[in-house]
């Protein structure tokens, strides 16, 4: 007979008594485990369970049979549904007299199960009544539809596979403490199923990036994570030590210099998708360990890299979201190429009313900055001031995708100088929602110019700038062997994913973000 009542979203009784101490709840669960072990039914001795379907597949199989029956003008018999074996975590449970309901959840979703005493027997029914929310069970039975319309599994057999010794958060309130969600992502994924969608999108996006680049003839490579010199970017590195080699090493801040060595070696198109590490601040847009994409192509310039950037971002959005028009925190953003191009000098004029092209000296630039209320170093250069003004007065206004081009040489130690204005470089950064999401340029391949820039960076280091670039003699050696004209690009994958998933913090798109130690 089809049951009249079904499971509710009410939480289990023991776990949700608001005044009950957590330690007491955990003790109750341990006592249940001890009884099972004493009876020879230790769930932790079970090593496998033969599943024949996921929750989603079970529902789909039933719907197919139901539709076939309707096509014949018949109603699917109560016991004519598919017989399946499922496994999952109990998310809701409602114990009644001789029949009970629960929902179990697996990776594909959840399904209701129905357990009757006359189907499983008195002993097993009592065992079912002792289960807790969070327990993982295996169930076997026939799928049917209840009178109230919910596709449900009528359980014929079940087995406890894992006893959850710690209760999940309150079903009604869930895990809402943002910090706790990041610290205990495994709980977050259980009680906030929508979070899973974010990381499914992340996985699809990484796959789409690879598909796009491999389809264009790029070779995926792997370069060292432990570097003898922290290079490829201006950033403060993490420092470690190799005992056998008796040498200090750095976690990489960028793979750039190794990837360009591969271009020197004869590869024309390479990319690496992996982790970088920067010993810097943490914010909603910064995590010390993050995922980057870097790619290099011989015989092209920064214009080709801009074209690849906009086409790659649009391709990924289309693949994972089905559209290039997204909404981020209520703001509509159109990722469709082509994106606007604007030089840094022109952006200052357009968005801040600053005619920086009229500034001819370092002293004039410093006075301009002071007139705008900015504090600057006594020896700050024109290019450094230009970048500072841009950061302060322009960046947050760049909502729709735009390439800002021609950065000052002082802040671009690895980019080729612009042939028409040697104070600037053929470098770009795309901005979306006021964020820099990538960095690219025509690569500097003049070893003499590169050495001079490294020397200036080392001078800055000697004055206390821990982010200044180190001298890399082997990289200079590679340039002297000969680097062809090359375009390079680096994309911050996590920030891009924030946009694609409408996530307000970078921690929302990293499964296990770094957190300050918690003192209980």
């Amino acid at each position: 007979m089809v049951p009249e009542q079904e499971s509710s979203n009410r939480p289990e009784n023991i776990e949700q008594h608001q005044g009950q101490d957590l330690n007491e709840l955990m003790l109750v669960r341990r006592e249940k485990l001890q009884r099972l072990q004493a009876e020879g039914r230790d769930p932790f001795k079970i090593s496998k369970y033969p599943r024949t379907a996921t929750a989603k597949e079970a529902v789909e199989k039933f719907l197919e049979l139901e539709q076939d029956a309707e096509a014949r003008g018949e109603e699917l018999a109560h016991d004519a549904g598919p017989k399946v074996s499922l496994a999952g975590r109990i998310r809701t449970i409602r114990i009644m007299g001789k029949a009970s309901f629960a929902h179990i959840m697996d990776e594909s979703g959840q399904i209701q199960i129905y357990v009757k005493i006359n189907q499983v027997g008195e002993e097993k029914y009592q065992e079912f009544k002792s289960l807790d929310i969070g327990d993982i069970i295996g169930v076997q039975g026939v799928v049917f539809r209840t009178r109230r319309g919910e596709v449900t599994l009528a359980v014929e057999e079940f087995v406890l596979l894992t006893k959850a010794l710690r209760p999940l958060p309150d079903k009604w309130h869930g895990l809402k403490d943002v910090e706790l969600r990041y610290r205990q992502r495994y709980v977050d994924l259980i009680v906030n199923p929508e979070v899973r969608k974010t990381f499914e999108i992340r996985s699809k996006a990484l796959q789409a990036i690879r598909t796009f680049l491999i389809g264009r003839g790029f070779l995926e490579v792997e370069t060292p994570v432990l570097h003898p010199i922290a290079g490829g970017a201006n950033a403060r590195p993490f420092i470690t030590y190799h005992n056998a080699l008796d040498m200090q090493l750095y976690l990489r801040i960028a793979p750039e210099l190794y990837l360009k060595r591969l271009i020197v070696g004869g590869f024309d198109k390479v990319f690496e998708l992996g982790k970088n590490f920067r010993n810097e601040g943490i914010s909603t847009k910064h995590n010390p360990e993050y995922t980057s994409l870097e790619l290099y192509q011989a015989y092209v310039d920064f214009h080709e890299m801009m074209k690849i950037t906009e086409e790659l971002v649009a391709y990924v959005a289309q693949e994972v979201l089905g559209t290039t028009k997204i909404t981020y925190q209520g703001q509509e953003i159109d990722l469709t190429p082509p994106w606007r191009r604007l030089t840094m000098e022109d952006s200052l004029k357009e968005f801040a009313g600053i005619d920086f092209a009229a500034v001819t000296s370092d002293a004039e630039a410093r006075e301009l900055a002071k007139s705008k209320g900015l504090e600057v170093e006594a020896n700050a250069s024109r290019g450094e001031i230009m970048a500072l003004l841009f950061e302060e007065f322009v960046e947050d206004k760049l909502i729709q995708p735009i390439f800002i081009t021609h950065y000052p040489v002082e802040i671009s130690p690895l980019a080729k100088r612009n042939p028409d204005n040697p104070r600037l470089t053929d470098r770009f950064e795309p901005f979306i929602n006021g964020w820099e999401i990538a960095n690219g340029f025509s690569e500097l391949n003049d070893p003499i110019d590169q050495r001079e820039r490294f020397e200036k960076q080392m001078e800055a280091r000697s004055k206390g700038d821990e982010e200044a670039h180190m001298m890399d003699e082997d990289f200079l050696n590679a340039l002297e062997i000969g680097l062809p004209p090359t375009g390079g690009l680096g994309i911050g994958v996590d920030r891009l994913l924030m946009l694609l998933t409408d996530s307000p913090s970078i921690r929302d798109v990293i499964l296990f973000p770094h957190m300050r130690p918690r003192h209980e």
Side-chain angles (χ1 to χ4, degrees):
M1 180 176 180
V2 179
E4 293 285 354
Q5 302 185 68
E6 301 178 34
S7 64
S8 71
N9 287 326
R10 295 190 315 175
E12 59 181 316
N13 295 332
I14 293 177
E15 268 48 282
Q16 310 309 330
H17 285 169
Q18 295 298 313
Q20 197 165 13
D21 185 82
L22 177 61
N23 290 333
E24 183 180 346
L25 299 177
M26 293 170 63
L27 179 61
V28 169
R29 290 180 178 233
R30 279 162 173 73
E31 289 173 346
K32 290 181 179 181
L33 174 62
Q34 290 170 358
R35 286 197 297 271
L36 289 169
Q37 291 171 332
E39 295 167 2
R41 294 184 290 142
D42 186 350
F44 297 118
K45 290 186 176 180
I46 298 175
S47 299
K48 61 180 180 178
Y49 183 78
R51 293 194 299 174
T52 61
T54 64
K56 181 181 179 182
E57 289 168 347
V59 172
E60 290 174 345
K61 288 179 180 181
F62 173 80
L63 294 177
E64 288 177 6
L65 291 174
E66 191 176 55
Q67 290 168 2
D68 289 344
E70 289 176 357
R72 298 192 303 270
E74 303 172 358
E75 183 175 334
L76 188 66
H78 174 63
D79 59 354
K83 187 168 185 175
V84 295
S85 176
L86 312 176
R89 186 183 301 275
I90 297 175
R91 291 295 290 116
T92 67
I93 189 166
R94 185 177 181 184
I95 302 297
M96 296 181 289
K98 296 183 178 181
S100 297
F101 287 94
H103 280 93
I104 63 170
M105 181 182 73
D106 62 18
E107 185 181 28
S108 70
Q110 69 176 23
I111 187 171
Q112 180 171 255
I113 63 172
Y114 174 58
V115 183
K116 293 191 298 182
I117 189 171
N118 61 356
Q119 180 67 55
V120 299
E122 174 70 29
E123 183 178 347
K124 291 293 288 184
Y125 190 68
Q126 292 303 318
E127 181 183 339
F128 184 83
K129 289 171 66 176
S130 72
L131 297 178
D132 295 304
I133 288 178
D135 289 349
I136 298 173
I137 61 173
V139 292
Q140 181 178 310
V142 176
V143 183
F144 72 103
R145 187 185 293 277
T146 67
R147 288 181 180 175
R148 294 187 182 179
E150 185 165 359
V151 177
T152 302
L153 178 75
V155 177
E156 297 173 352
E157 298 178 14
F158 76 89
V159 60
L160 176 63
L161 300 173
T162 299
K163 183 65 188 172
L165 299 182
R166 185 179 292 266
L168 294 172
D170 190 315
K171 171 65 179 177
W172 288 343
H173 300 100
L175 188 63
K176 300 303 182 186
D177 182 324
V178 174
E179 182 177 318
L180 188 58
R181 287 179 51 216
Y182 299 147
R183 291 184 186 278
Q184 298 184 12
R185 182 68 82 186
Y186 44 92
V187 179
D188 186 29
L189 291 167
I190 294 169
V191 302
N192 297 316
E194 68 277 5
V195 173
R196 187 189 305 272
K197 181 66 175 176
T198 295
F199 294 103
E200 290 173 350
I201 290 175
R202 182 184 181 99
S203 178
K204 291 176 182 177
L206 295 177
Q207 181 179 343
I209 288 170
R210 288 187 164 97
T211 299
F212 177 90
L213 292 173
I214 292 171
R216 292 186 173 220
F218 282 84
L219 178 72
E220 182 171 11
V221 297
E222 294 175 295
T223 63
V225 171
L226 292 174
H227 289 188
I229 290 175
N234 285 13
R236 184 179 179 182
F238 287 94
I239 302 172
T240 186
Y241 195 81
H242 193 290
N243 292 329
L245 294 178
D246 190 23
M247 65 183 295
Q248 180 173 278
L249 293 170
Y250 304 88
L251 292 181
R252 76 175 175 200
I253 55 176
E256 176 170 343
L257 302 189
Y258 283 93
L259 292 173
K260 285 194 278 194
R261 285 172 169 92
L262 295 179
I263 300 294
V264 171
F267 289 107
D268 283 349
K269 296 180 179 182
V270 295
F271 79 93
E272 184 166 12
L273 192 57
K275 296 287 188 180
N276 290 344
F277 308 86
R278 300 190 179 181
N279 197 357
E280 300 169 348
I282 293 177
S283 74
T284 56
K285 294 183 292 182
H286 299 87
N287 194 65
E289 174 184 348
Y290 68 97
T291 301
S292 81
L293 166 69
E294 289 210 18
L295 61 95
Y296 295 85
Q297 181 174 347
Y299 309 111
V300 301
D301 64 5
F302 76 124
H303 292 290
E304 178 65 19
M305 290 296 107
M306 284 191 280
K307 188 170 183 288
I308 288 176
T309 303
E310 61 192 0
E311 291 178 356
L312 171 60
V313 170
Y315 175 84
V316 172
Q318 186 68 46
E319 286 296 302
V320 302
L321 301 178
T323 180
T324 56
K325 295 179 179 179
I326 66 173
T327 299
Y328 183 78
Q329 303 294 290
Q331 173 70 53
E332 293 186 0
I333 296 174
D334 189 353
L335 302 176
T336 308
W339 299 352
R340 190 182 180 197
R341 274 87 163 147
L342 192 67
T343 68
M344 183 176 282
E345 283 189 354
D346 288 343
S347 74
L348 282 168
K349 192 169 186 177
E350 177 174 332
F351 291 99
I354 298 173
D355 184 7
F356 203 81
V359 177
T360 59
S361 69
D362 294 346
E364 281 183 64
R366 289 193 290 268
E367 287 303 313
L368 174 60
K370 291 175 184 177
S371 73
K372 298 293 183 181
L374 301 181
E375 294 184 9
V376 296
E377 299 282 344
N379 61 346
S381 69
R382 180 185 181 278
E384 290 169 334
I385 299 297
M386 178 179 168
L388 180 61
L389 290 169
F390 171 78
E391 182 179 327
E392 289 291 327
F393 299 115
V394 178
E395 278 192 12
D396 62 357
K397 299 179 178 66
L398 306 178
I399 304 304
Q400 296 301 321
I402 184 172
F403 290 108
I404 301 298
T405 67
H406 298 95
Y407 278 59
V409 69
E410 294 95 323
I411 63 167
S412 310
L414 297 166
K416 182 171 287 192
R417 293 179 191 267
N418 181 267
D420 299 322
N421 186 346
R423 293 191 303 191
L424 303 177
T425 61
D426 285 347
R427 174 186 173 190
F428 68 88
E429 288 183 336
F431 285 81
I432 305 175
N433 192 54
W435 306 343
E436 169 214 340
I437 65 160
N439 184 25
F441 35 84
S442 298
E443 300 297 333
L444 177 59
N445 61 344
D446 179 346
I448 298 172
D449 188 359
Q450 184 67 80
R451 179 175 291 278
E452 290 173 354
R453 294 202 215 174
F454 278 168
E455 287 172 348
K456 288 182 179 179
Q457 291 285 307
M458 290 300 290
E459 183 179 344
R461 288 188 68 84
S462 69
K463 295 177 181 179
D465 185 353
E466 294 181 315
E467 295 186 0
H469 207 290
M470 295 181 179
M471 179 65 72
D472 190 332
E473 291 289 352
D474 184 73
F475 177 67
L476 291 170
N477 185 72
L479 291 187
E480 290 175 355
I481 296 294
L483 173 69
T486 298
L489 169 65
I491 295 179
V493 174
D494 302 308
R495 285 191 191 176
L496 177 59
L497 285 162
M498 287 175 66
L499 291 169
L500 296 181
T501 59
D502 195 16
S503 297
S505 171
I506 196 170
R507 295 179 179 183
D508 293 322
V509 297
I510 297 174
L511 278 168
F512 300 101
H514 290 281
M515 307 288 290
R516 192 181 303 276
R518 188 171 188 173
H519 302 289
E520 299 295 342

